[in-house]
Amino acid sequence: MTSTDGLRLLPFRGLRYAPDRVSSLTAVTSPPYDVVVRPDGVRHLETADPYNIVRLILPHAADPATRHRQAADTLSRWRAEGILTHDDRPALYVYEQRSGEVLQRGLIGALCLDGPVLPHEGVIPEVVADRAALMRAAAANFEPLLLSYRGKGTATGATAVIERTVLGSPLLATTTEDGFAHRLWAVTDPADLAAVEDDLSHRQALIADGHHRWATYQRLYEQLPGATPSSPWASGLVLLVDTARYPLQVRAIHRVLPHLPPAKALADLSGAFRVRALSGGLSTALETLERTPGNAFVLTGGPDTFHLLDRPDPELLDRTIRKDRPETWRQLDATVLHATLLDSVWRIPDHPSDIGYLHHTEAAVEQAARHGGTAVLMRATSEETVRQLALQGVTMPRKSTSFGPKPATGLVLRTLEDDTP
């Protein structure tokens, strides 16, 4: 697909839960599919309400084909029963998330795939294949991915539309278990839609969260016989946020190595890094990690034992890290972790069954303890570092960052067979 000069965010007829058919909107929403901690997180959401969105984004059955067909059948049944209903006309949706001093507002719409969208991480082919099979079977975008762009930071263009819209009554309002309040409004006025279109036509976006879903959108469009730029498959559901106006939070994504016992992890280091035992628990370990200069990590096999890794051997770094990348990339913690520790020192296969990626620190520690494995706790990378590397066309190791707050899944869905540009 040929890239265009700017972004095109198309209105669509949102598919939303009928409030009178579910126990509450809170009970049917979910974090994004890759943030839900399996298996306990899935069970918790499934029991919150029989219509929780997790039954669509993370169906479980004996084999992948059955899972994907199960999600498609569930979606069809819920629509037939009036659990999920379409809005009357196409709209862009203003979406607000608020918790304490954190406020994020953006626009949800169907973003054309031919626009300038910058990835900053690689993807796992098996995950893309699974998401593509699910999306193809259901003919739906279940959850928006999170994109950022740099506007003027003032209430002009798309931002002006957002600021005007939030003065009115929302379509829905709910507060999720994490304490975030969510509100959603529909934008249908032609003048507002035109203002958004004109503003975004000069912008480019950075994928903040959802690289696998973006790659899935692209794969499905490429595989669709006779697909044209006017096809619903030529666009995908996104939340677009002006981070000059509403800066994103950036957090780390931790690694869990279920087949690497902590004792072996530490023994194999043998001079590769300085290793120090830490006392004081998880919070103290994380504070120490944040204060440590240079490349550093915390290793743990459970809630009682933490070790700080820092001062890597310069010769080892020189031998294991690619030299054809910018120095900023070579110095990333994620680069050193994957190229030096995982590939060279521990020789961990690059496979989902051997490396788990968890957003929540406590969950990573608990999962490592459950499997008798090792968790590697990470630090966050700044948004500016991510953006500058992306502008150079340089991708970071996958799952290097966690931008947020992430949109709640289940507030608005997009079905492709009903959608027209």
Side-chain angles (χ1 to χ4, degrees):
M1 182 177 289
T2 303
S3 178
T4 60
D5 293 334
L7 303 172
R8 290 188 298 146
L9 191 66
L10 305 178
F12 69 101
R13 290 180 63 214
L15 183 69
R16 298 189 293 112
Y17 280 99
D20 60 339
R21 298 300 308 276
V22 297
S23 58
S24 71
L25 285 175
T26 300
V28 295
T29 58
S30 164
Y33 79 95
D34 57 341
V35 179
V36 177
V37 180
R38 303 191 210 195
D40 294 341
V42 173
R43 283 199 293 267
H44 171 71
L45 292 168
E46 285 181 333
T47 56
D49 188 283
Y51 301 112
N52 189 282
I53 193 71
V54 76
R55 297 180 185 276
L56 300 181
I57 64 172
L58 288 173
H60 46 87
D63 61 89
T66 303
R67 288 199 302 271
H68 304 145
R69 177 45 51 194
Q70 178 178 299
D73 291 343
T74 300
L75 174 63
S76 179
R77 185 174 68 255
W78 288 0
R79 290 178 61 187
E81 295 174 355
I83 306 301
L84 291 166
T85 61
H86 274 107
D87 288 335
D88 292 336
R89 51 180 171 161
L92 296 179
Y93 294 87
V94 171
Y95 177 44
E96 177 188 274
Q97 296 160 274
R98 186 191 295 267
S99 178
E101 297 181 355
V102 177
L103 173 64
Q104 180 169 286
R105 289 172 177 158
L107 286 167
I108 295 177
L111 188 69
C112 293
L113 304 183
D114 59 358
V117 175
L118 304 173
H120 70 268
E121 294 180 357
V123 296
I124 302 170
E126 296 90 340
V127 176
V128 174
D130 180 74
R131 290 290 105 184
L134 174 65
M135 204 176 296
R136 185 187 300 110
N141 298 158
F142 289 136
E143 46 189 335
L145 54 91
L146 176 61
L147 301 183
S148 73
Y149 72 98
R150 301 290 290 181
K152 297 179 180 179
T154 57
T156 58
T159 300
V161 173
I162 291 172
E163 302 299 335
R164 285 196 302 271
T165 301
V166 298
L167 298 176
S169 299
L171 295 172
L172 62 85
T174 190
T175 300
T176 45
E177 288 186 344
D178 58 6
F180 269 90
H182 306 260
R183 296 197 295 171
L184 192 77
W185 296 260
V187 178
T188 58
D189 181 82
D192 286 341
L193 295 175
V196 171
E197 179 180 12
D198 179 67
D199 186 13
L200 296 183
S201 67
H202 309 291
R203 311 294 180 197
Q204 62 180 6
L206 173 73
I207 300 177
D209 183 71
H211 284 79
H212 289 90
R213 279 166 282 168
W214 186 255
T216 296
Y217 295 159
Q218 293 176 315
R219 170 180 289 198
L220 289 172
Y221 177 78
E222 292 166 358
Q223 293 178 345
L224 191 68
T228 66
S230 62
S231 165
W233 296 90
S235 58
L237 189 64
V238 307
L239 167 62
L240 198 57
V241 175
D242 176 3
T243 54
R245 183 79 170 183
Y246 299 105
L248 297 176
Q249 299 175 310
V250 189
R251 293 189 172 91
I253 300 178
H254 309 293
R255 275 60 170 167
V256 174
L257 315 175
H259 307 307
L260 179 67
K264 178 172 173 49
L266 293 169
D268 287 351
L269 287 167
S270 184
F273 282 72
R274 182 176 70 168
V275 180
R276 289 180 288 163
L278 301 175
S279 58
L282 177 59
S283 61
T284 302
L286 294 176
E287 291 171 3
T288 302
L289 177 62
E290 289 295 335
R291 294 195 305 266
T292 303
N295 297 119
F297 313 92
V298 166
L299 259 62
T300 177
D304 300 321
T305 306
F306 300 91
H307 288 83
L308 178 71
L309 274 58
D310 70 342
R311 298 186 185 180
D313 176 12
E315 292 184 2
L316 176 63
L317 297 182
D318 186 66
R319 187 171 68 250
T320 56
I321 296 178
R322 297 174 55 167
K323 297 180 174 62
D324 60 346
R325 296 292 180 92
E327 191 62 24
T328 301
W329 181 91
R330 289 171 50 82
Q331 294 177 359
L332 292 170
D333 283 347
T335 299
V336 172
L337 172 64
H338 283 264
T340 304
L341 281 170
L342 296 178
D343 292 351
S344 180
V345 175
W346 292 326
R347 301 186 183 278
I348 302 294
D350 187 9
H351 191 272
S353 64
D354 294 285
I355 306 176
Y357 298 87
L358 275 78
H359 295 71
H360 299 295
T361 311
E362 293 82 359
V365 175
E366 187 264 331
Q367 191 170 109
R370 186 191 313 143
H371 292 286
T374 299
V376 183
L377 307 183
M378 306 280 289
R379 298 177 293 198
T381 303
S382 72
E383 181 183 354
E384 188 56 31
T385 297
V386 173
R387 187 177 298 277
Q388 288 306 314
L389 286 173
L391 286 169
Q392 297 176 62
V394 178
T395 56
M396 300 165 63
R398 54 179 166 257
K399 300 293 185 181
S400 294
T401 58
S402 176
F403 285 89
K406 304 178 192 302
T409 299
L411 297 181
V412 61
L413 290 65
R414 176 183 178 235
T415 53
L416 296 170
E417 76 273 19
D418 303 302
D419 199 20
T420 55

